[in-house]
Amino acid sequence: MKSKNFLDFLPNNFRHEKSFFTQKNLTDFEKLSNLSDLDINNIQRKSPLCGLNNLKKIRAIAIFKKEIEISPPEAYLLLHCGIGTIKSLSLSTPCELERKIGRLERNLRTKSETDITLNLLKEWIKRANQVQKSI
């Protein structure tokens, strides 16, 4: 059975990025979270099928996983709700996030597979504030 890595949760439209990172043995969220803009631009230049936005999304998800300890699917959900950085998460309120997630689910006519509660959102914002203060 194939072992799960950080990139396995990504949908099919990330196939080129997943393939590139797998070939380069960059499947660890620690390594992916440390990618600079220059690194991302170089990856895109070496492998033009890798989308710049997708590469930045993967880095953002890895940063959320590393710094806030949010699971990749939850981080992906935050990205779809317009929360792309730890700073933007720290400036949000739990009610605002809950409203954005609810709106996204209604627009997609689906319920997310993650079990996100108001208390969990408060915890994420608290951790984001702690990370922001340490920067």
Side-chain angles (χ1 to χ4, degrees):
M1 180 172 183
K2 184 179 171 186
S3 66
K4 289 282 236 179
N5 69 44
F6 174 73
L7 301 171
D8 286 342
F9 83 95
L10 291 170
N12 194 37
N13 60 316
F14 285 83
R15 66 189 172 281
H16 300 296
E17 294 81 8
K18 285 173 24 177
S19 174
F20 178 85
F21 287 133
T22 302
Q23 288 173 0
K24 300 294 181 185
N25 200 23
L26 281 169
T27 56
D28 178 37
F29 71 90
E30 290 279 342
K31 293 176 186 175
L32 292 170
S33 69
N34 292 326
L35 290 174
S36 67
D37 286 340
L38 181 62
D39 294 332
I40 288 176
N41 289 333
N42 286 336
I43 290 169
Q44 219 254 329
R45 208 172 299 119
K46 290 176 188 173
S47 181
L49 292 177
C50 292
L52 192 59
N53 286 334
N54 283 354
L55 293 169
K56 288 182 178 184
K57 285 177 185 176
I58 291 170
R59 177 181 60 184
I61 293 167
I63 289 170
F64 278 131
K65 169 98 172 110
K66 176 183 173 185
E67 300 290 338
I68 312 293
E69 298 174 5
I70 296 174
S71 74
E74 293 167 337
Y76 194 63
L77 181 64
L78 284 178
L79 287 177
H80 276 292
C81 291
I83 307 296
T85 63
I86 292 176
K87 182 176 182 177
S88 63
L89 178 60
S90 71
L91 296 173
S92 300
T93 65
C95 293
E96 176 188 3
L97 286 177
E98 186 178 51
R99 191 180 73 247
K100 286 181 177 185
I101 291 169
R103 184 181 308 132
L104 177 66
E105 289 174 343
R106 284 189 303 278
N107 285 340
L108 296 176
R109 295 187 176 118
T110 184
K111 178 83 173 109
S112 65
E113 295 178 14
T114 57
D115 187 27
I116 297 176
T117 63
L118 208 51
N119 285 335
L120 182 61
L121 295 173
K122 287 178 187 176
E123 185 61 33
W124 290 353
I125 292 169
K126 179 181 167 187
R127 286 189 229 147
N129 281 317
Q130 290 171 345
V131 169
Q132 277 300 112
K133 287 178 184 174
S134 69
I135 293 177

